[in-house]
Amino acid sequence: MRPYILEETNWKQIKNQKYEVAVLPWGATEPHNYHLPYGTDSLETARIAADAAKKAWDKGSKIMVLPAIPLGIQNMGQIELPFCLHTRLSTQQMILEDMLSALYNQGIRKFVLLNGHGGNDFKQIVRDLQPEFPDMFISIVEWFKMFPLAQHFEEEGDHANEMETSVIMHYSPELVRPLEEAGDGKAKKFKLKSLQEKVAWAPRHWGKVSEDTGVGNPKKASAEKGKKFLDDVTTKIGDYLVELDECDLDDLYE
Ligand SMILES: [Zn+2]
């Protein structure tokens, strides 16, 4: 029983312990090339939350990791694929509002939303909801953006790529198909130069961009690469959780 994982812990533990920080992992449910599970984003984000919380707990910080929400925003071309669970922004906002209400009324004032899906964008939701919870500190961590990919991996990409494949190979190798079965994650670019140069942005039509649903070649992935990357990621998040636990919410600026 890990006292910092809500699904595992019990009322006896919680009754006798004051918790400062709540962490909500948020993923998605969608195809991830041929070789990774649909639950990749939720699975990896829940494990990262747990590992980071353990690092903080071991330093004396009282963190609680909530059950992961597996409902993400998807792009056209992926929404249509069987069992890809597209969830609207307004639905996400209602879920987050309910979570924050529950925690707020129970006295929690420090909150971390750990996002693990590139299509989710919680900043505006947080800005919109913040006035309802004026003295609650609501923060967002996006673990997949924390380091430049080139620091740990050879191939780029942002979906079922070398990074994500390495992460799942480390956490749940039994859920990864042999890499020979994976597609090469080859993704087409917009023809418009301005979109390539990021003068403009538009959502990608997934079915027209990628054959196998992947974006980024996963073939050079390994559990070792995943382990090293995750160690760096969970150390950084663990340090943040300790800082947040120890900080005075009335004295946040210098
Ligand atoms: Zn993913």
Side-chain angles (χ1 to χ4, degrees):
M1 185 280 277
R2 292 173 292 178
Y4 48 88
I5 305 289
L6 185 56
E7 286 165 306
E8 294 182 11
T9 196
N10 49 63
W11 175 228
K12 186 170 166 53
Q13 160 70 24
I14 289 172
K15 195 177 175 184
N16 296 310
Q17 178 73 67
K18 169 132 177 57
Y19 286 83
E20 279 291 316
V21 180
V23 180
L24 179 64
W26 202 310
T29 305
E30 54 174 340
H32 270 75
N33 199 327
Y34 299 119
H35 63 294
L36 292 182
Y38 266 55
T40 292
D41 290 5
S42 314
L43 219 142
E44 59 199 3
T45 307
R47 290 291 298 264
I48 287 167
D51 285 358
K54 183 188 187 325
K55 288 181 180 180
W57 189 274
D58 289 346
K59 289 180 178 163
S61 293
K62 297 301 171 245
I63 313 292
M64 183 60 86
V65 177
L66 311 178
I69 311 281
L71 301 172
I73 296 185
Q74 309 295 351
N75 283 304
M76 286 287 294
Q78 194 154 30
I79 288 173
E80 299 83 349
L81 300 177
F83 301 111
C84 180
L85 304 182
H86 172 57
T87 308
R88 284 171 300 167
L89 187 76
S90 51
T91 309
Q92 290 188 324
Q93 173 141 353
M94 284 195 280
I95 295 170
L96 185 59
E97 189 176 17
D98 284 355
M99 295 298 108
L100 291 173
S101 279
L103 298 168
Y104 188 82
N105 291 326
Q106 296 150 6
I108 295 285
R109 290 292 180 271
K110 295 173 178 179
F111 180 82
V112 180
L113 200 169
L114 182 63
N115 181 31
H117 173 64
N120 293 340
D121 188 353
F122 292 105
K123 275 190 197 167
Q124 290 303 76
I125 295 183
V126 168
R127 285 195 180 101
D128 199 15
L129 292 178
Q130 183 72 74
E132 266 182 64
F133 311 97
D135 56 340
M136 189 177 199
F137 187 77
I138 306 169
S139 61
I140 301 168
V141 174
E142 300 201 292
W143 62 263
F144 51 95
K145 291 182 183 164
M146 209 161 266
F147 295 99
L149 278 188
Q151 218 168 298
H152 295 86
F153 303 99
E154 293 164 71
E155 301 280 352
E156 286 285 331
D158 56 24
H159 185 67
N161 57 350
E162 182 185 334
M163 180 274 275
E164 262 197 313
T165 305
S166 300
V167 167
I168 301 292
M169 284 172 101
H170 173 62
Y171 278 146
S172 303
E174 71 283 3
L175 298 180
V176 184
R177 304 283 310 165
L179 286 184
E180 311 85 70
E181 292 180 20
D184 58 12
K186 205 171 152 27
K188 289 183 184 155
K189 289 183 295 195
F190 277 114
K191 283 182 179 167
L192 283 70
K193 214 162 163 279
S194 303
L195 285 164
Q196 286 185 22
E197 289 172 354
K198 300 195 163 67
V199 173
W201 175 89
R204 292 168 287 183
H205 186 291
W206 222 263
K208 291 178 181 161
V209 162
S210 169
E211 185 94 2
D212 50 39
T213 81
V215 174
N217 190 343
K219 304 279 183 175
K220 291 180 184 157
S222 73
E224 294 68 38
K225 283 180 184 170
K227 183 179 186 314
K228 224 192 135 285
F229 169 68
L230 288 164
D231 197 39
D232 289 352
V233 166
T234 57
T235 296
K236 244 194 185 349
I237 300 174
D239 289 347
Y240 170 55
L241 296 177
V242 172
E243 245 192 322
L244 185 58
D245 168 53
E246 290 172 353
C247 82
D248 174 0
L249 289 182
D250 293 323
D251 185 21
L252 284 175
Y253 302 95
E254 59 180 15

